[in-house]
Amino acid sequence: MASGATVNQNRILQLDVQGVPQSWVSPERAAGYYATGDVVWTVGETFMTMRGGINAASGVQSCIDLAPIIAVNGCASVNLFDIIPTLTNRKLFARDRSVCAYCGGVFKHEDLTREHIHPRSRGGHDNWQSVVSACRGCNNLKADYFPHEAGMTLLYAPYVPSLYEDFILSSRHIRADVMEWLLARVPKGSRLI
């Protein structure tokens, strides 16, 4: 049985024909795209070969070499700038590099909380631009106050991750070559760089 890291590192980044990330796919799914001729272009060196059956007439075993990034026929009908990634604590803590927005300490994910800058009890929203990572101590100290009311200062501003950042935030183990490709496309002000 493969470890979780190995399984995740074998996932392939699927793009549309214009290079817009669509999803992480399994090698088996990618092989299906290759077999049907839907792979238009690839990025990176072959990292895995899928082997199939042996042709009865030729005696040759079928095999498909997989690249870590594949572009398939079709294009996304959405504007990259209209996509808002799903907000989860894991992605939030990764966006903020596990740094508390108030004390600047670096914490394990289990020691962080989703902190609403504008308290929800006072009309605040639960979205990327309204939340930061905070340690439990700072979150308790701030309570249902605005930062200035609690005498606290934000050390960094919240922001909505781009689609490329979201693909990085949504996966725990990304091959180095795929990470390099994604990082080359994140905005210059990203905390992930």
Side-chain angles (χ1 to χ4, degrees):
M1 184 76 165
S3 72
T6 303
V7 170
N8 286 335
Q9 286 188 327
N10 286 340
R11 291 189 311 162
I12 294 166
L13 181 59
Q14 177 192 325
L15 313 174
D16 71 7
V17 73
Q18 296 176 327
V20 177
Q22 300 297 299
S23 63
W24 293 105
V25 296
S26 68
E28 294 78 13
R29 177 119 186 213
Y33 289 130
Y34 279 94
T36 57
D38 285 329
V39 175
V40 181
W41 50 271
T42 64
V43 177
E45 300 295 321
T46 297
F47 80 101
M48 176 185 285
T49 299
M50 300 287 290
R51 300 192 187 284
I54 297 175
N55 184 302
S58 69
V60 176
Q61 183 179 28
S62 65
C63 60
I64 299 174
D65 293 330
L66 304 177
I69 302 173
I70 61 170
V72 299
N73 278 321
C75 61
S77 59
V78 294
N79 183 333
L80 280 177
F81 300 104
D82 291 339
I83 297 172
I84 298 175
T86 304
L87 174 62
T88 66
N89 281 352
R90 191 174 68 73
K91 289 196 292 187
L92 172 68
F93 302 156
R95 178 200 73 178
D96 295 345
R97 298 284 193 145
S98 300
V99 174
C100 174
Y102 297 106
C103 70
V106 178
F107 294 87
K108 293 180 182 176
H109 283 204
E110 58 268 16
D111 297 324
L112 288 169
T113 62
R114 182 184 305 188
E115 206 295 295
H116 295 82
I117 300 164
H118 181 151
R120 293 194 75 188
S121 64
R122 296 171 69 180
H125 300 285
D126 189 40
N127 60 42
W128 285 104
Q129 292 179 301
S130 302
V131 296
V132 291
S133 301
C135 68
R136 295 186 185 284
C138 287
N139 197 341
N140 289 336
L141 181 63
K142 182 181 162 291
D144 283 345
Y145 297 106
F146 285 91
H148 70 277
E149 293 173 341
M152 302 171 82
T153 304
L154 278 173
L155 300 177
Y156 55 80
Y159 70 95
V160 179
S162 72
L163 177 64
Y164 298 98
E165 289 171 299
D166 187 44
F167 271 84
I168 294 169
L169 297 172
S170 68
S171 187
R172 293 188 178 163
H173 302 281
I174 300 174
R175 290 174 43 88
D177 52 352
V178 176
M179 179 65 87
E180 183 179 336
W181 188 89
L182 286 166
L183 285 172
R185 287 151 181 81
V186 301
K188 290 187 190 324
S190 171
R191 279 194 211 105
L192 302 182
I193 298 177

